[in-house]
Amino acid sequence: MVQIAVCTHVHIQPCLSPTPSPISLFSSCRTPKFENKTWKTQSVKLGAITASDSASISGSGSLNSTACEQLVPENDAKKKRVFFLDVNPLCYVGSTPSLRSFGHWVSLFFSQVSHSDPVIAVLDGEGGSEHRRQLLPSYKAHRMKFLRQLPASQRFSRGHVGKSHGVIMDVFRKCNVPVIKLEGYEADDVVATLAGQVLQRGYRVVIASPDKDFKQLISEDVQIVMPLAELDRWSFYTLKHYIAQYDCNPCCDLSLRCIVGDDVDGVPGIQHVAPGFGRKTALKLLKKHGSLDNLLNAAAVRTVGRQYAQDALTKYADYLRRNYKVLALRRDVDVQLKEEWLVKRETHNDSTTLYNFFKLLEGTKKLTHQSHGSYFSNG
């Protein structure tokens, strides 16, 4: 089942045909070359990059630096942006559901980041993790364990967004933001699929999310903007940020995570079965061979590294390929980009809608504290 909330005042245009581009193991890990483009240089402070700073920026330097020179291809700088808002992570403070957190980050996002640029909000669908959990039972198992430990009245489904689903949908509807939720799919897969369709339309993509899974999508035309609680602001993360942080192309990101694992999502790395095979070894081999598939194919016919690495790659090739299937974002979800999602967003209702939302939270705060059956905390 597909749930889509679209602003009623927008004229509906025929939707685009789906153009899925399935992810491949053959992605190259080599550092991209910025050729045949006219570049201009901008100097910015990092860790506090505002929307106005980045409105025409497609690359920047290390997040750990205090300042950097940003190379911006002038033609690309003129491309319009389309934002994807990953809603579910914004509804939490740590592991505690919080409507106030949702309202706070959405308010900052509208006022400081997206402004009137098109925004598409995406929610996790019911059962979205099941196909990955069938491949790997430990996938996000700690989150399921946490939910089972809660009293029945307080259990919270990420896909359903609890009893506050309607409240969240209402905020987006009044702020003229379409909301996409597909049963059986995680929001990440929906975003990855739609992002590809947006790029084909000639736009740049900005994904608003703290989820590191989206780093595998970063390119010259795909950026991430992350909510940073310690700075109480959103901060842009670009292709050049990634290269400065990891010293490799984002195409390596997925292959690298398949080898070293992802403890947060419950995906064990190869070091659990081959001690000593860590990030340094993995990165060195991936830089040489370009992708996980190339590396595994090479290891099957010849020696590619030290004996412990060679043994691990040949013995646990299926283990690594399974990790790839679990961690790779899908690009073939059955969802079609609609023309009206790409128009300038009307913002005149933002202030009133969010003011009423916070007023509602204040009005129900006392009731929430008294009720043990609430799914969300207002704090």
Side-chain angles (χ1 to χ4, degrees), residues 128-198:
S129 301
E130 286 308 310
H131 72 282
R132 290 184 169 97
R133 197 168 288 120
Q134 289 176 4
L135 292 169
L136 182 63
S138 64
Y139 178 71
K140 295 186 178 180
H142 64 289
R143 300 182 189 181
M144 299 299 294
K145 181 179 180 180
F146 169 77
L147 291 175
R148 287 194 295 268
Q149 289 174 344
L150 288 174
S153 61
Q154 293 181 328
R155 288 179 187 170
F156 176 82
S157 165
R158 286 178 57 84
H160 185 58
V161 196
K163 289 182 178 178
S164 297
H165 176 271
V167 178
I168 291 171
M169 296 284 283
D170 187 59
V171 168
F172 287 130
R173 179 181 61 82
K174 292 178 178 177
C175 291
N176 303 306
V177 174
V179 183
I180 316 300
K181 189 180 89 164
L182 276 67
E183 184 175 343
Y185 293 100
E186 294 186 74
D188 302 11
D189 297 320
V190 178
V191 170
T193 299
L194 287 174
Q197 297 177 25
V198 168

Side-chain angles (χ1 to χ4, degrees), residues 214-225:
F214 287 119
K215 288 183 177 180
Q216 62 188 265
L217 302 181
I218 288 179
S219 69
E220 290 183 59
D221 287 325
V222 179
Q223 302 177 350
I224 298 174
V225 60

Side-chain angles (χ1 to χ4, degrees), residues 131-367:
H131 72 282
R132 290 184 169 97
R133 197 168 288 120
Q134 289 176 4
L135 292 169
L136 182 63
S138 64
Y139 178 71
K140 295 186 178 180
H142 64 289
R143 300 182 189 181
M144 299 299 294
K145 181 179 180 180
F146 169 77
L147 291 175
R148 287 194 295 268
Q149 289 174 344
L150 288 174
S153 61
Q154 293 181 328
R155 288 179 187 170
F156 176 82
S157 165
R158 286 178 57 84
H160 185 58
V161 196
K163 289 182 178 178
S164 297
H165 176 271
V167 178
I168 291 171
M169 296 284 283
D170 187 59
V171 168
F172 287 130
R173 179 181 61 82
K174 292 178 178 177
C175 291
N176 303 306
V177 174
V179 183
I180 316 300
K181 189 180 89 164
L182 276 67
E183 184 175 343
Y185 293 100
E186 294 186 74
D188 302 11
D189 297 320
V190 178
V191 170
T193 299
L194 287 174
Q197 297 177 25
V198 168
L199 292 173
Q200 289 187 349
R201 296 285 292 171
Y203 293 83
R204 285 189 295 148
V205 168
V206 184
I207 301 170
S209 175
D211 193 338
K212 64 184 177 301
D213 291 345
F214 287 119
K215 288 183 177 180
Q216 62 188 265
L217 302 181
I218 288 179
S219 69
E220 290 183 59
D221 287 325
V222 179
Q223 302 177 350
I224 298 174
V225 60
M226 303 177 178
L228 300 183
E230 62 273 18
L231 298 178
D232 195 31
R233 68 181 303 140
W234 291 85
S235 183
F236 280 82
Y237 187 91
T238 69
L239 173 62
K240 296 206 73 173
H241 284 107
Y242 185 95
I243 294 172
Q245 182 178 2
Y246 296 107
D247 191 29
C248 70
N249 189 297
C251 291
C252 257
D253 185 79
L254 180 56
S255 294
L256 183 61
R257 289 176 60 215
C258 291
I259 297 174
V260 301
D262 187 332
D263 291 337
V264 174
D265 284 345
V267 180
I270 200 170
Q271 66 272 16
H272 291 280
V273 292
F277 198 139
R279 175 179 291 270
K280 184 176 179 181
T281 300
L283 190 55
K284 180 179 179 180
L285 291 171
L286 287 173
K287 281 186 173 182
K288 181 178 180 180
H289 294 276
S291 70
L292 177 63
D293 194 65
N294 290 346
L295 175 59
L296 294 178
N297 288 339
V301 297
R302 60 183 172 84
T303 301
V304 296
R306 294 187 178 181
Q307 194 60 46
Y308 73 92
Q310 178 69 25
D311 292 343
L313 291 171
T314 53
K315 184 176 181 179
Y316 299 108
D318 290 341
Y319 179 101
L320 295 173
R321 288 192 168 96
R322 179 210 59 190
N323 280 1
Y324 192 97
K325 292 179 181 178
V326 172
L327 292 172
L329 297 184
R330 297 184 60 174
R331 322 287 180 94
D332 59 351
V333 176
D334 186 16
V335 60
Q336 299 176 357
L337 184 69
K338 295 181 182 294
E339 194 72 30
E340 71 270 16
W341 297 349
L342 304 178
V343 301
K344 181 178 179 181
R345 186 177 69 87
E346 294 291 339
T347 63
H348 60 277
N349 287 334
D350 289 5
S351 297
T352 301
T353 299
L354 290 166
Y355 172 81
N356 290 336
F357 174 78
F358 285 111
K359 188 176 180 180
L360 174 66
L361 292 187
E362 289 298 325
T364 59
K365 187 174 183 180
K366 183 177 180 180
L367 179 62

